[in-house]
Amino acid sequence: MKEYTSDIAVIGAGPAGLTAALYAARAGFSVRVLEGSAPGGQMLSAHMIENYPGYASASGMDLADTMTAHATSLGAEIVFADVTAVIPHENGFTVRTSAGDEEEYRAVIAASGTKCRKLGVPGEDALTGRGVSYCAVCDGRFFTGKDVAVIGGGNTAIGDALYLAKFCKSVTVVHRRDRFRAEKVLTDRLSSFDNIRTVMNARVEKIEGDGRVEAVELVSTAADSLSERSVLPVDGVFVAVGNIPTASYLADIDAPIFDESGYIRTDERCATAVPGLYAVGDVRVKSLRQITTAVSDGAVAAVEAAEYLTAHMPVYGTSV
Ligand code: NAP
């Protein structure tokens, strides 16, 4: 016989996980949030958030702190743990961590988000931390007065460029297509900086440098100059080419819970094909990945999990 650690395990303390924890705790359930890093998720690398209702302009770190404090003030417990497996059984779930712990829960909410996609080019791994970075907010200040490149064309890349331009000597945004994916409200701001330049229709072939980044080698993707090469001398490279889902701890579950890209499939109640297992935020299949949609998921899943536990596990023993 093993005791339940808590009613609900929330895996990941980004906005989706923190909201799920807040709602579940407020509904009277015991909740443990298992986070392998600092609470806040991708909010921690957002310099400025301007589209979270109620906050015209908030620093990502401040919003992360506020959400974390709110969840814990209602009784949610946040612990440092790297989850390696979630195993469903008839009385709930066993959750394994990289520290070798095994914990029992009645329901699980996967809120583990995504991690940065790499470019996969020569020089990238060897020069990571030596000029190659995946977080402008974390590392940008090291490049004050220097020339940097931002690779990508989404909201993150453009947001990073706008942030870095305030203290870098020059910022070159390199995008593989002729049009940015980022919202117009962000791309419109690029022209207000004299030190931001854009290189469209180009992909990075190689990151060069002897112990530190010195240049990126670019190859044209434009039809009229296909495969033309150029070298862009830079001191830093900020890679912002999107994300990949983080859900390998569910890989052994014998149910069709993943789509072809590895995101978790759910219904609109955030329920997966496994009873008692929910997925929220960026890690689930959805059309819009924002803090607002993450917190919405967290609320929905927590209410659904609460109803599931009440209906299916009405006799609350302390042991599995
Ligand atoms: P994203 O929207 O997926 O954009 C990734 C960008 O990288 C795209 O422009 C893509 O090019 C490019 N790319 C992908 N693989 C590449 C490769 N191998 N080589 C070169 N370029 C590559 O990712 P994101 O900007 O990180 O945003 C992730 C999510 O967070 C999005 O849903 C976004 O809206 C959200 N977000 C929102 C905000 C905000 O609301 N202010 C801020 C940040 C992020 P293509 O365009 O050609 O595909």
Side-chain angles (χ1 to χ4, degrees):
M1 294 273 268
K2 286 177 89 179
E3 296 212 334
Y4 287 108
T5 302
S6 293
D7 295 323
I8 300 173
V10 176
I11 302 173
L18 290 172
T19 308
L22 183 162
Y23 270 69
R26 193 159 178 270
F29 293 86
S30 57
V31 193
R32 193 162 152 102
V33 184
L34 306 163
E35 169 59 57
S37 178
Q42 284 183 50
M43 289 190 291
L44 295 176
S45 50
H47 166 57
M48 207 47 82
I49 293 163
E50 298 177 348
N51 55 1
Y52 191 66
Y55 294 78
S57 177
S59 101
M61 246 173 228
D62 287 350
L63 196 54
D65 284 350
T66 307
M67 283 192 196
T68 304
H70 194 175
T72 54
S73 74
L74 290 167
E77 183 190 10
I78 301 180
V79 297
F80 179 81
D82 175 27
V83 174
T84 53
V86 171
I87 303 144
H89 53 72
E90 62 178 0
N91 294 319
F93 299 85
T94 302
V95 172
R96 286 197 188 129
T97 71
S98 59
D101 297 327
E102 283 209 349
E103 299 176 348
E104 296 296 328
Y105 296 92
R106 294 181 164 93
V108 169
I109 299 176
S112 42
T114 57
K115 63 181 177 191
C116 296
R117 180 184 284 127
K118 290 186 170 190
L119 283 168
V121 297
E124 183 178 18
D125 284 344
L127 294 168
T128 293
R130 295 162 184 268
V132 174
S133 168
Y134 300 84
C135 178
V137 170
C138 321
D139 301 327
R141 288 280 171 188
F142 296 124
F143 297 87
T144 300
K146 309 251 182 191
D147 299 307
V148 301
V150 174
I151 319 300
N155 282 335
T156 302
I158 304 307
D160 285 356
L162 295 169
Y163 171 66
L164 292 165
K166 289 176 188 153
F167 46 86
C168 290
K169 185 172 157 205
S170 76
V171 179
T172 305
V173 182
V174 178
H175 182 39
R176 64 183 179 182
R177 283 192 297 137
D178 62 354
R179 192 170 301 180
F180 287 122
R181 179 182 293 273
E183 293 163 16
K184 189 171 176 302
V185 65
L186 292 175
T187 57
D188 280 352
R189 289 184 202 163
L190 291 174
S191 57
S192 56
F193 286 89
D194 289 341
N195 59 343
I196 298 183
R197 183 169 84 93
T198 56
V199 176
M200 308 303 277
N201 293 313
R203 68 179 165 76
V204 175
E205 178 93 329
K206 189 179 174 190
I207 302 174
E208 295 171 353
D210 185 10
R212 278 216 68 79
V213 167
E214 290 167 16
V216 285
E217 194 176 311
L218 305 179
V219 176
S220 171
T221 58
D224 58 354
S225 58
L226 197 62
S227 301
E228 215 172 81
R229 285 167 193 279
S230 58
V231 173
L232 174 69
V234 284
D235 304 296
V237 180
F238 289 87
V239 180
V241 295
N243 302 299
I244 47 179
T246 316
S248 56
Y249 55 89
L250 298 174
D252 290 337
I253 288 187
D254 188 18
I257 60 167
F258 292 113
D259 77 352
E260 57 290 348
S261 303
Y263 288 94
I264 303 172
R265 290 184 199 278
T266 68
D267 61 17
E268 68 170 312
R269 300 166 304 127
C270 296
T272 70
V274 178
L277 175 63
Y278 303 84
V280 295
D282 285 6
V283 76
R284 83 176 182 98
V285 177
K286 63 196 302 190
S287 62
L288 184 63
R289 293 190 169 85
Q290 301 274 296
I291 303 174
T292 45
T293 61
V295 301
S296 164
D297 284 358
V300 170
V303 170
E304 291 297 327
E307 281 182 14
Y308 167 80
L309 292 182
T310 307
H312 297 276
M313 298 192 178
V315 182
Y316 273 27
T318 55
S319 303
V320 178

